[in-house]
Amino acid sequence: DAGVTQSPTHLIKTRGQQVTLRCSPISGHKSVSWYQQVLGQGPQFIFQYYEKEERGRGNFPDRFSARQFPNYSSELNVNALLLGDSALYLCASMRGSGNTGELFFGEGSRLTVL
Amino acid sequence: GENVEQHPSTLSVQEGDSAVIKCTYSDSASNYFPWYKQELGKGPQLIIDIRSNVGEKKDQRIAVTLNKTAKHFSLHITETQPEDSAVYFCAASGGGYQKVTFGTGTKLQVIP
């Protein structure tokens, strides 16, 4: 079975632009979470969606938004990009909605903001 | 919110030796403590986890211990191999949604 897939794998944007990142969870997984990983640090929680509903939001500004589609895929949008948004954006899926289970991560989308 | 501290940030061991990584957490409501391994260019992958009702768990060369009173947990890797070289993250979660708080990572280098 395919794992979590993310696109694009790499992208370069300039300050002020907008970006959309996409994620397809493992088949049968209804929960998708997004994490930001700055170089040399651990992933930081941005959003969690389950059955198309937002279940959690981390400490990120309103420039960050996300949604989940009926097929459980998800998009993360970031508006008005800042240099500090440069990071690896990770998507993770999980079968259930609880908080004690394995997160399956994709390989990430590496965003560079110039 | 939860805060997870992880030490050391880098660790070099000779092949065959043991490696220990330690973490502390702040939120007493946290009840699930996974450990993830991240290789270069890849996403984190779960290697072992422990729940708050268990003090120790072992899986072949990997073991994790949890001290709820002291709010710390540790990863032990025995008989290290070069393929164990990677960045390891501890994490903690609790509450009703899947917010997982990660530590800052330990870069483990196993020297052949």
Side-chain angles (χ1 to χ4, degrees):
Chain A
D1 285 342
V4 176
T5 58
Q6 293 187 242
S7 63
T9 55
H10 296 81
L11 67 165
I12 300 174
K13 295 285 187 178
T14 57
R15 282 177 296 174
Q17 286 189 312
Q18 175 264 342
V19 67
T20 298
L21 308 177
R22 296 176 177 82
C23 170
S24 292
I26 292 173
S27 177
H29 287 194
K30 299 181 178 181
S31 172
V32 169
S33 299
W34 288 94
Y35 287 81
Q36 180 196 64
Q37 187 176 23
V38 174
L39 195 63
Q41 296 184 18
Q44 285 206 334
F45 174 78
I46 310 175
F47 286 109
Q48 189 240 336
Y49 278 79
Y50 179 76
E51 291 276 19
K52 297 177 289 181
E53 290 187 3
E54 182 184 302
R55 288 295 190 91
R57 174 185 286 255
N59 189 24
F60 281 81
D62 292 343
R63 298 185 295 108
F64 289 77
S65 63
R67 56 180 175 169
Q68 187 178 31
F69 299 99
N71 66 353
Y72 305 114
S73 67
S74 177
E75 286 183 352
L76 175 69
N77 296 285
V78 187
N79 294 323
L81 286 167
L82 303 174
L83 296 179
D85 294 331
S86 295
L88 180 68
Y89 288 86
L90 293 163
C91 173
S93 76
M94 184 174 169
R95 184 175 297 275
S97 62
N99 71 332
T100 58
E102 182 174 359
L103 288 172
F104 293 82
F105 284 90
E107 295 194 344
S109 295
R110 183 162 297 282
L111 171 65
T112 301
V113 182
L114 301 177
Chain B
E2 175 66 277
N3 181 50
V4 177
E5 295 189 356
Q6 182 172 348
H7 301 280
S9 56
T10 60
L11 180 59
S12 291
V13 299
Q14 293 290 331
E15 182 178 358
D17 287 349
S18 295
V20 179
I21 302 171
K22 297 183 178 182
C23 291
T24 61
Y25 64 99
S26 62
D27 189 351
S28 56
S30 291
N31 56 10
Y32 177 64
F33 306 92
W35 286 85
Y36 286 85
K37 175 184 181 182
Q38 187 173 27
E39 297 176 333
L40 201 61
K42 296 188 176 182
Q45 183 176 14
L46 181 76
I47 56 171
I48 195 168
D49 58 13
I50 191 167
R51 286 166 170 73
S52 58
N53 59 347
V54 176
E56 185 173 356
K57 184 177 178 180
K58 193 173 183 179
D59 183 4
Q60 298 182 10
R61 297 185 298 109
I62 296 174
V64 60
T65 60
L66 171 65
N67 184 326
K68 285 177 56 181
T69 303
K71 294 199 186 108
H72 65 70
F73 55 117
S74 301
L75 177 71
H76 304 251
I77 305 174
T78 59
E79 301 173 18
T80 53
Q81 301 167 4
E83 52 265 37
D84 294 331
S85 296
V87 179
Y88 291 80
F89 293 98
C90 61
S93 69
Y97 60 95
Q98 287 172 34
K99 178 180 180 178
V100 180
T101 302
F102 285 81
T104 49
T106 296
K107 185 174 183 179
L108 173 64
Q109 181 185 22
V110 179
I111 303 166

